[in-house]
Amino acid sequence: MNNLELMQREMRKSKRRKNAVGYALLAPYVLIFLFFSVIPCLMGFVFSFMQYNPIDSSKNMFVGFYNYAHLFDFTNSVSLKFWKSFATMFLFDIVMVPTLIIIPLTLAYLINLHPPGYKFYRAVIYLPSVISVSVMGIVFSKLFAGDELGFFNALFGTNIKWLSGKPFENDILRWVVIFIASVWWQTGTNFVILSGALRNVPKSLYEACEMDGGSRLQGILHVTLPNIKSSVGICLFNTLIGYLGLYGQPYVLHAVENSIDQEIVSPMMFIQYYLKNASFVNMTGYICAAAIVFGLIVMVFGTIERKVMGERKRTDKYSAAYKQSKQDVEWGLSLKGPAQDIQSVGGANNVNSIN
Amino acid sequence: MSANSAFITLKNVEKIYPNGEKAVYNFNLDIERNEFIVIVGPSGCGKSTTLRMIAGLEDISAGEIYMEDELLNFKPCKDRKMAIVFQSYALYPQMNVFNNIAFPLTINKYPAPIVNSLLSACDEVKKLLGETDWHTLTAALANVMRNKGSKDDKEERIATIFELSIDGAKLLYDFCAKSASDDQPSEDVKGVWLERIRINETAELEKVAQSGIKLNERFCEVDDDGYEKTQVRKLTNYEIKKKVYETAEKLDLTAYLDKLPKELSGGQMQRVALGRAIIKNVPVFLMDEPLSNLDAKLRLTMRSEIVKLHNKINATTIYVTHDQTEAMTMASRIVVMSRGFIQQIGTPEEVYNSPSNLFVARFIGSPSMNLFDMKFDRKGMRLKHGDVSIPMDKKFVARYDEFYKGKIADFQGILENFDAQAREKVLKIMSATGESLSDKKVKKKENIFVKIKEKLDKKKNGADEVPKEKLISESKLEELKNRLHTDGALTVGIRPERIRIEKVQAGKKYNGCFITKPTICELLGGEYSVHFDFCDKDVVARFDAKSLITTNDDIAVSFSLEDTYVFDPITCDVIKELG
Amino acid sequence: MLTRLTDKPKKTLSKSERTIRKEKTVSFVVLFIVTILWMLPLIYMVGTSFKSDYDLQTNPSGLFPSAGQWTLAHYKSFLSADSDAKIFYWLGNSLWSTLLHVGLTVLLDLLTAYVLVFLNFKGKEKFVKLLYLWMAVPGVIGTAPMFAIFAAIRNGLEISSDAGSYAYIFFWIVMPGVSGIFNMLLMRNFFLSIPRDIVDSARSDGASNFKIFTKIIVPLARSTIMLIVLFTFTGSWNSLNWPQLIFSGEAQKWWTVTIGLTKFTDSQAAAAATGVAMATSVFAMLPIIIVFLFTQSKMIDGLASTGIKA
């Protein structure tokens, strides 16, 4: 073996060693990732095609698309619950998600003017975001208790039954409470992100706009909004995905006269309810199918959001138009014929010229 | 011409920040049309602040700014007829180059005559039909109409080709659209069009007559005295496009119209910023260190580009930089600033050859002026340092005495009535010498308790505290008084190119020269920068690279008295200039 | 005329300075009111926890107990040794499981990000791409099957002892999420921003990978680590969905705080014990509040920066 081949062998060996080290050190993460993230999803896919019982494996059998068909069978009461919960959550989200962008954005804009004590306000507004949903539930269920002991009722002498009513029928007040509680609880996160984004807009852009003749409003339109677009996109994405998976708030703020189990108002609650209860263990496959359908819908929404907030496709239109106009000018001159004096720009052209 | 007829005048302009810090002191400057003024100075000297006050981005704390005798102090930025180019270019990142340049035109309204669009369009098309051969015309029109594109695009193309206004083009487009799609329409169609025009014109003229509006021969509304009435309106898309293309051509940006700022290089971004400024068609251009973010080579090309542009559009430019080379090469007049005070105003030639104080002498010129300390031997009438001595003449002695007597009188006046004005005079002197009031304490983190404590302490000591400026001026007065009878230390300066260097050849006599060996010889290409020690300082001189020189060669150094400057180290003012 | 030597130059406000003042005033007023409203629920919670039972009935609209009605009874009810309230078990469970989760996450993220940035091996880029793609997959798809796997393995293992069950359950509390993609990519992004020169010069000085990792990379990453710690801590402490599934049917002693507190909203009876509910909540919130108070600036700045860089 000559020197060149020896060198090549050495190189390959060291490369293999490097690869081995890399794989070995990456292994912990990969293993945990596979076991807790990938495999469950794959298994979920498998289970959705089975009637699966984790406890009693004798009951397992392969049922093909039965679960999915069952899910889309609107006469089935269980499936109907799923779709009704989807509708309720969706309606709530249409109201909630924009609110959780607009309110934090307004507050962020105000706080960026740095009024005295702004650091304190920032901390207070963000604080609720770190407490757990169950604490939030305890507080708000007392604030809005339906009897005269509730804080709100006692303060205003009213007797509004906030947290009561049957879902899908007359529990609009309960949703109002959930709305208020969610705003209080979750404005903080988006607020902080958006105020960071606002602060990052370079001051010289505002000055340039001012010098160009822009008013305050035009400054907001042309400088502020475009420059925080990516952060708004992130907030929108997180809020949207988070509220598609709505669970905690309706759970802790449920109507007092119902047991929680009667109130399945979001797909997550649906899944959670049927998984928790051991008596439904035979339905595991069906639940997996429901989860997959739901997951796909969430992914669709996510993709739509990304597309909408993403960068617009850019065209060549100005360069092309410029080239065209140059050609047209030459063409126009040639039409006049060689005898024409080039400097005679049509008199009509100057009528509307601005000096 | 009275002083007030200067184009832009700054009178006693000052800037005081809300925390009491004064950034600009007593700025006075008259700017004529088409001047290229460069305000130059080290960072923190107040040059950007002054520019921003002129622009309207900062409020003016004291003094006035006039433009053509009109007070600008309270005018908002957009009404000042100025455009600004920032150091960071400040391009709108979400807009492409076209939209960035077009932005000032899209959001503003501009005055224009009120034209009756129908009548003027009819007139244009009539003329066109009369002047142009029918078949050529229709062939061209058919070509345009056939291509794909929106109605607006086609109308704009017609306007460009036949040099019509957009209204005329719209009318012509309308005719084409309504006629049969025929490649070779006969002359009858022309007659039809002319007839239609005639009908429209008559109807419109009647309407105009009824409404009592008077039109002139260009179909613009006029008032009773025959002056055209103007309205303030937004520009049409076509007008904007034409202007943007024009500007882009001037700056060689036509290939980049669709690109976003993040896809452009520094130089291209800078040109876009310039384009956005010149499209506004305003008389005054402000530039805040626009070349600082570019690499060295690009800076050289852009320097000349900016000056060429300035000359082409007949602008008046006020340019701020910390680079004295830019100031020297670009300016028609230079304003040198330090610590908020103007040090000198003059043409590049004046500022280079006749610096008014040590600061200007040091700042302007590359390599900088050589400075070394010498003692003034009054009896011997010469300047001495070690065994080097420069003989001075009687004129100098007289000037020396006059200078110091004057300075002593100044300081006595200051100390006599130590008011705020006197304080500022001392600060101005210190801005030239480079002395500072106190060692500035490191800014502590804002702590409410510390702030309260400081405020309380100030209140206690407030009335008794003697300001440091007074102490400084007292000590300076003492030193000045000493000058009159002792041999004072002076700072002597000479520019590198005025020092004569000769390589010592064996056998030649060098009278009146200083023989030494260079410490470093830097070859710049066509010449050397030769460093040598002189009077305990490192002095630089030039040497033609036609012959070699190394640190082993002996050199004979000489310079004449006329080429030197003498400065007073106490106030840093110039005692003796060239000659 | 003697003017005071320490006279500051007089300043009059110009128009634009006045506009700024106006804006600050408006924003001050609005934010002040908003902040007061924002603090109400928590003030209410703390105040009510000190109200005596009598006061709860007669003064429901007061934020604070009326005179003479302050009591520590509700706190005593679960703090005293003989109570059967399980708050301490819950706090203990939450505390150790959260700390373990945070610790493992940070270590794993540091290690993996280091490997992905500073080591070279085949397929590195493809792996990162896979992670980015996987972020789009909603976690909900995995919940049900993961629970099924949990139950199936448990069944298969046939654990008899309590300790064994406890360990098994908490294994499934701590481990999922340790391999969270977002945090790891955050760390990776930070490592990418470290100038290669530092690592290269250390390598040329002869430092091993381990030394570079511990002496250079980890100290530099302090702020990112802190960020990940803070958010993982609050996320794990407050998590509801998954623990609720796992703990269903288990002894209450094993619950985490967040799950335990849902007792107060679940049933009517528990809900009626307003004072105790409030006191328990206040107490349970303390750890998080303490963490928040000490780190809130860093937390807020860190959160703001994630919005910008991503």
Side-chain angles (χ1 to χ4, degrees), chain C residues 262-282:
Chain C
T262 60
K263 229 178 38 141
F264 287 108
T265 47
D266 272 3
S267 67
Q268 277 262 47
T274 311
V276 179
M278 291 301 171
T280 322
S281 305
V282 171

Short mmCIF file of all heavy atoms in Angstrom, two decimals, chain C residues 262-282:
data_model
loop_
_atom_site.label_atom_id
_atom_site.label_comp_id
_atom_site.label_asym_id
_atom_site.label_seq_id
_atom_site.Cartn_x
_atom_site.Cartn_y
_atom_site.Cartn_z
N THR C 262 -57.36 22.05 41.08
CA THR C 262 -58.61 21.93 40.32
C THR C 262 -59.71 21.33 41.18
O THR C 262 -60.89 21.42 40.86
CB THR C 262 -58.44 21.06 39.06
OG1 THR C 262 -58.03 19.76 39.48
CG2 THR C 262 -57.46 21.65 38.12
N LYS C 263 -59.30 20.73 42.30
CA LYS C 263 -60.32 20.23 43.22
C LYS C 263 -61.27 21.35 43.61
O LYS C 263 -62.46 21.12 43.82
CB LYS C 263 -59.61 19.70 44.49
CG LYS C 263 -60.08 18.34 44.90
CD LYS C 263 -59.33 17.82 46.11
CE LYS C 263 -59.02 18.85 47.15
NZ LYS C 263 -59.19 18.32 48.52
N PHE C 264 -60.72 22.55 43.71
CA PHE C 264 -61.56 23.64 44.21
C PHE C 264 -62.54 24.16 43.17
O PHE C 264 -63.44 24.92 43.48
CB PHE C 264 -60.68 24.81 44.69
CG PHE C 264 -59.98 24.51 45.97
CD1 PHE C 264 -58.62 24.28 45.98
CD2 PHE C 264 -60.68 24.45 47.16
CE1 PHE C 264 -57.97 23.99 47.17
CE2 PHE C 264 -60.04 24.15 48.34
CZ PHE C 264 -58.67 23.92 48.35
N THR C 265 -62.31 23.81 41.93
CA THR C 265 -63.29 24.23 40.93
C THR C 265 -64.13 23.05 40.46
O THR C 265 -65.15 23.24 39.83
CB THR C 265 -62.60 24.85 39.70
OG1 THR C 265 -61.51 24.01 39.31
CG2 THR C 265 -62.09 26.23 40.02
N ASP C 266 -63.68 21.84 40.77
CA ASP C 266 -64.41 20.68 40.27
C ASP C 266 -65.77 20.54 40.92
O ASP C 266 -66.79 20.43 40.25
CB ASP C 266 -63.59 19.41 40.55
CG ASP C 266 -62.63 19.12 39.42
OD1 ASP C 266 -62.61 19.96 38.49
OD2 ASP C 266 -61.95 18.11 39.44
N SER C 267 -65.75 20.50 42.24
CA SER C 267 -67.03 20.17 42.89
C SER C 267 -67.59 21.39 43.58
O SER C 267 -66.88 22.28 43.99
CB SER C 267 -66.81 19.05 43.91
OG SER C 267 -66.00 19.57 44.96
N GLN C 268 -68.87 21.37 43.71
CA GLN C 268 -69.56 22.47 44.37
C GLN C 268 -69.12 22.62 45.82
O GLN C 268 -68.90 23.70 46.31
CB GLN C 268 -71.08 22.21 44.35
CG GLN C 268 -71.75 22.62 43.07
CD GLN C 268 -72.39 23.99 43.18
OE1 GLN C 268 -71.78 24.93 43.67
NE2 GLN C 268 -73.63 24.10 42.75
N ALA C 269 -69.00 21.49 46.48
CA ALA C 269 -68.70 21.51 47.91
C ALA C 269 -67.36 22.17 48.15
O ALA C 269 -67.20 23.06 48.97
CB ALA C 269 -68.71 20.09 48.45
N ALA C 270 -66.39 21.72 47.38
CA ALA C 270 -65.07 22.30 47.57
C ALA C 270 -65.10 23.78 47.24
O ALA C 270 -64.43 24.59 47.86
CB ALA C 270 -64.06 21.57 46.70
N ALA C 271 -65.88 24.12 46.22
CA ALA C 271 -65.91 25.51 45.79
C ALA C 271 -66.47 26.41 46.88
O ALA C 271 -66.11 27.57 47.00
CB ALA C 271 -66.74 25.65 44.52
N ALA C 272 -67.37 25.83 47.69
CA ALA C 272 -68.00 26.67 48.70
C ALA C 272 -67.01 27.11 49.76
O ALA C 272 -67.19 28.15 50.39
CB ALA C 272 -69.15 25.92 49.37
N ALA C 273 -65.93 26.35 49.92
CA ALA C 273 -64.95 26.72 50.94
C ALA C 273 -64.07 27.81 50.39
O ALA C 273 -62.88 27.63 50.16
CB ALA C 273 -64.13 25.50 51.33
N THR C 274 -64.67 28.99 50.18
CA THR C 274 -63.96 30.07 49.50
C THR C 274 -62.65 30.43 50.17
O THR C 274 -61.61 30.54 49.53
CB THR C 274 -64.85 31.33 49.47
OG1 THR C 274 -66.14 30.96 49.02
CG2 THR C 274 -64.25 32.37 48.58
N GLY C 275 -62.72 30.60 51.47
CA GLY C 275 -61.51 31.04 52.17
C GLY C 275 -60.37 30.07 51.99
O GLY C 275 -59.24 30.47 51.66
N VAL C 276 -60.69 28.79 52.20
CA VAL C 276 -59.63 27.81 52.06
C VAL C 276 -59.10 27.77 50.64
O VAL C 276 -57.90 27.66 50.39
CB VAL C 276 -60.16 26.40 52.46
CG1 VAL C 276 -59.07 25.39 52.30
CG2 VAL C 276 -60.67 26.45 53.88
N ALA C 277 -60.04 27.86 49.69
CA ALA C 277 -59.61 27.83 48.29
C ALA C 277 -58.63 28.95 48.01
O ALA C 277 -57.56 28.75 47.41
CB ALA C 277 -60.83 27.93 47.38
N MET C 278 -58.98 30.16 48.46
CA MET C 278 -58.11 31.30 48.21
C MET C 278 -56.75 31.13 48.90
O MET C 278 -55.70 31.37 48.31
CB MET C 278 -58.77 32.59 48.71
CG MET C 278 -59.97 33.00 47.92
SD MET C 278 -59.52 33.26 46.18
CE MET C 278 -61.13 33.48 45.50
N ALA C 279 -56.83 30.71 50.15
CA ALA C 279 -55.57 30.56 50.89
C ALA C 279 -54.67 29.54 50.23
O ALA C 279 -53.45 29.76 50.07
CB ALA C 279 -55.87 30.18 52.33
N THR C 280 -55.27 28.42 49.85
CA THR C 280 -54.46 27.39 49.21
C THR C 280 -53.85 27.92 47.93
O THR C 280 -52.68 27.67 47.61
CB THR C 280 -55.31 26.15 48.89
OG1 THR C 280 -56.23 25.94 49.95
CG2 THR C 280 -54.45 24.94 48.70
N SER C 281 -54.64 28.65 47.15
CA SER C 281 -54.12 29.19 45.90
C SER C 281 -52.97 30.14 46.15
O SER C 281 -51.94 30.08 45.49
CB SER C 281 -55.21 29.93 45.14
OG SER C 281 -56.32 29.12 44.94
N VAL C 282 -53.16 31.04 47.11
CA VAL C 282 -52.08 31.99 47.40
C VAL C 282 -50.81 31.24 47.74
O VAL C 282 -49.73 31.52 47.23
CB VAL C 282 -52.48 32.93 48.55
CG1 VAL C 282 -51.27 33.76 48.97
CG2 VAL C 282 -53.60 33.85 48.12
#
